[in-house]
């Protein structure tokens, strides 16, 4: 990211930029930064946009070879082409020849680093990965946004906020806007404000459901389940996410016993570092045998549901009721 910022600051642009990775918010931010730096507002003559898997690579090459009209650069924006996953021989050969008057910006989710397209883009331009941000970077970004709005927040309230939003920056951005509007006349953002307006993501609601199961609070676990159903969340997806959470708990128990540090546990379990402590707390409410048995029964219920032996909604209820019994 810093390399792109430096290119923009120095007005020394590469002919090719590849922006890829899971963090969609940052990819769009840097795509827009490059667009603003390389083209004038409203310039439709020198900006060409392509999207999707049906892009004709020869049309892209023709556009790149066209001289800009009363401008320094011709900008070509290409999103979700699949070229960096499935390959594109024509463009792979062309990228080393892109004229200095043109800049091609690719925005992709899936990338094969062994492929010719990735190698051509990274050798002849910049390939920048935008992955899920860690807790430290997210916290710094959120606090920066709050400072601009003259808002203050405690560390505890911030953790509550992140536990609801997850690590997706686009979702965090939307929830912050809601929070700023709700606390318009307040300087300090409190936990009650966050609970009042911030939407709990499905994965986080599953966490709360498994929390209730571990505490043997059957009523709350079922209420959370019915709440997800009212939001039209498919029962089979809910079952998958419950099983996934049980697997994470089992893995964390094993890793803790092996003496691994929290950063390593987070990476291996596929959860944010800030979630490790609370997830370990949740894991402590189950025995290893309970988790193994729950995973076995969850897999069997999924099979029985798919084969028509049991209705999917009842299958999930059965798992919740079985493991939330006092």
């Amino acid at each position: 990211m810093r390399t792109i910022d430096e290119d923009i600051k120095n007005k020394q642009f590469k002919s090719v930029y590849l922006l890829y990775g899971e963090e969609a918010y940052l990819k769009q931010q840097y795509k827009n930064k490059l667009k603003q730096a390389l083209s004038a507002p409203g310039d439709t003559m020198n900006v060409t946009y392509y999207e999707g898997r049906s892009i004709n690579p020869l049309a892209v090459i023709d556009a790149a070879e066209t001289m800009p009209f009363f401008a320094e650069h011709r900008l070509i924006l290409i999103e979700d082409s699949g070229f960096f996953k499935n390959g594109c021989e024509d463009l792979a050969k062309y990228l080393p020849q892109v004229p200095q008057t043109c800049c091609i910006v690719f925005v992709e989710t899936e990338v094969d680093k062994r492929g010719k397209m990735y190698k051509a883009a990274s050798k002849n331009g910049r390939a920048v990965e935008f992955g899920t941000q860690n807790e430290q970077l997210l916290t710094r970004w959120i606090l920066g946004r709050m400072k601009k709005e003259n808002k203050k927040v405690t560390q505890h309230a911030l953790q509550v906020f992140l536990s609801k939003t997850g690590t997706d920056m686009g979702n965090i951005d939307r929830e912050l806007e809601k929070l700023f509007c709700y606390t318009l006349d307040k300087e300090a953002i409190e936990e009650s404000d966050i609970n009042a307006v911030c939407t709990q993501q499905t994965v986080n609601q599953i966490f709360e459901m498994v929390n209730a199961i571990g505490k043997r609070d059957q009523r709350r676990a079922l209420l959370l389940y019915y709440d997800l159903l009212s939001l039209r969340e498919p029962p089979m997806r809910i079952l998958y996410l419950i099983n996934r959470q049980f697997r994470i708990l089992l893995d964390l128990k094993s890793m803790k016993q092996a003496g691994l540090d929290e950063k390593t546990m987070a990476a291996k379990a596929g959860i944010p570092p800030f979630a490790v402590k609370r997830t370990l707390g949740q894991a402590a409410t189950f025995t290893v045998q309970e988790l193994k048995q729950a995973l076995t029964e969850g897999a069997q219920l999924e099979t029985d549901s798919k084969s028509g032996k049991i209705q999917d909604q009842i299958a999930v209820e059965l798992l919740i009721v079985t493991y939330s019994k006092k």
Side-chain angles (χ1 to χ4, degrees):
M1 289 183 278
R2 287 180 182 175
T3 55
I4 298 177
D5 288 328
E6 287 173 5
D7 290 350
I8 293 171
K9 181 181 177 181
N10 300 325
K11 296 185 178 181
Q12 297 291 324
F13 299 101
K14 302 294 183 182
S15 297
V16 182
Y17 288 90
L18 167 60
L19 317 180
Y20 69 99
E22 297 178 354
E23 184 45 73
Y25 178 87
L26 282 178
K27 284 191 296 185
Q28 291 302 314
Q29 289 288 307
Y30 274 86
K31 180 198 79 173
N32 292 332
K33 278 187 177 186
L34 285 167
K35 184 180 178 181
Q36 289 169 10
L38 287 159
S39 63
D43 184 356
T44 56
M45 296 197 67
N46 296 298
V47 179
T48 309
Y49 181 72
Y50 298 94
E51 183 178 11
R53 301 299 176 101
S54 59
I55 300 168
N56 181 351
L58 298 181
V60 174
I61 294 171
D62 284 344
E65 288 294 312
T66 306
M67 290 292 292
F69 185 74
F70 288 108
E72 287 188 45
H73 299 93
R74 176 167 294 281
L75 175 62
I76 300 175
L77 299 170
I78 301 176
E79 294 198 55
D80 298 319
S81 66
F83 290 150
F84 289 84
K85 180 69 174 176
N86 305 318
C88 180
E89 194 69 29
D90 290 330
L91 278 178
K93 289 180 180 178
Y94 179 71
L95 291 186
Q97 307 167 38
V98 176
Q100 292 183 349
T101 55
C102 178
C103 180
I104 304 177
V105 178
F106 295 94
V107 183
E108 304 286 336
T109 301
E110 296 182 288
V111 163
D112 182 357
K113 293 183 179 181
R114 301 165 300 177
K116 291 181 181 179
M117 280 293 289
Y118 178 84
K119 289 177 180 177
S122 57
K123 183 178 180 180
N124 299 281
R126 295 205 189 281
V128 182
E129 183 174 10
F130 296 86
T132 302
Q133 302 297 289
N134 62 37
E135 181 185 6
Q136 186 179 5
L137 289 172
L138 287 174
T139 299
R140 193 185 308 155
W141 177 62
I142 292 168
L143 291 176
R145 291 284 308 275
M146 289 190 173
K147 187 177 180 181
K148 286 181 181 178
E149 298 290 331
N150 295 315
K151 300 290 184 185
K152 294 180 180 179
V153 66
T154 65
Q155 186 64 33
H156 174 70
L158 185 59
Q159 290 294 318
V160 171
F161 177 74
L162 280 169
S163 73
K164 282 182 174 290
T165 62
T167 56
D168 181 87
M169 292 181 72
N171 185 57
I172 291 173
D173 181 62
R174 290 187 292 272
E175 295 301 317
L176 279 174
E177 289 301 324
K178 286 162 58 177
L179 201 51
F180 293 153
C181 291
Y182 184 75
T183 60
L184 198 60
D185 300 323
K186 293 177 62 176
E187 182 182 1
I189 293 175
E190 300 171 357
E191 185 178 346
S192 57
D193 301 319
I194 294 165
N195 289 329
V197 296
C198 293
T199 306
Q200 182 105 311
Q201 297 299 292
T202 300
V203 172
N204 297 318
Q205 196 145 335
I206 294 294
F207 183 93
E208 293 302 322
M209 189 191 301
V210 175
N211 239 0
I213 293 171
K215 292 176 181 177
R216 308 304 185 258
D217 188 347
Q218 194 171 93
R219 182 176 179 277
R220 175 159 171 74
L222 287 171
L223 282 173
L224 287 165
Y225 174 51
Y226 298 142
D227 187 36
L228 285 171
L229 290 178
S230 71
L231 295 171
R232 299 190 177 181
E233 198 68 45
M236 281 298 94
R237 172 168 160 75
I238 296 172
L239 181 59
Y240 162 77
L241 290 171
I242 292 174
N243 287 337
R244 175 180 175 272
Q245 186 64 17
F246 280 143
R247 168 57 63 190
I248 289 171
L249 297 183
L250 186 60
D251 289 344
L252 283 181
K253 271 184 171 291
S254 174
M255 286 187 276
K256 184 181 180 184
Q257 191 173 8
L260 298 183
D261 61 86
E262 289 188 5
K263 185 177 180 181
T264 304
M265 284 194 275
K268 286 181 175 291
I271 61 175
F274 67 79
V276 172
K277 281 185 181 176
R278 68 188 184 117
T279 309
L280 281 171
Q282 187 179 86
T285 63
F286 297 93
T287 66
V288 170
Q289 186 56 39
E290 281 176 325
L291 290 171
K292 286 181 177 179
Q293 190 175 335
L295 282 167
T296 301
E297 289 189 27
Q300 187 59 52
L301 285 167
E302 185 177 356
T303 301
D304 290 347
S305 177
K306 288 178 178 178
S307 62
K309 290 182 181 178
I310 187 172
Q311 200 259 340
D312 57 1
Q313 183 173 332
I314 295 173
V316 183
E317 283 181 2
L318 188 58
L319 187 67
I320 292 171
V321 168
T322 300
Y323 288 93
S324 60
K325 279 193 242 178
K326 291 185 179 178

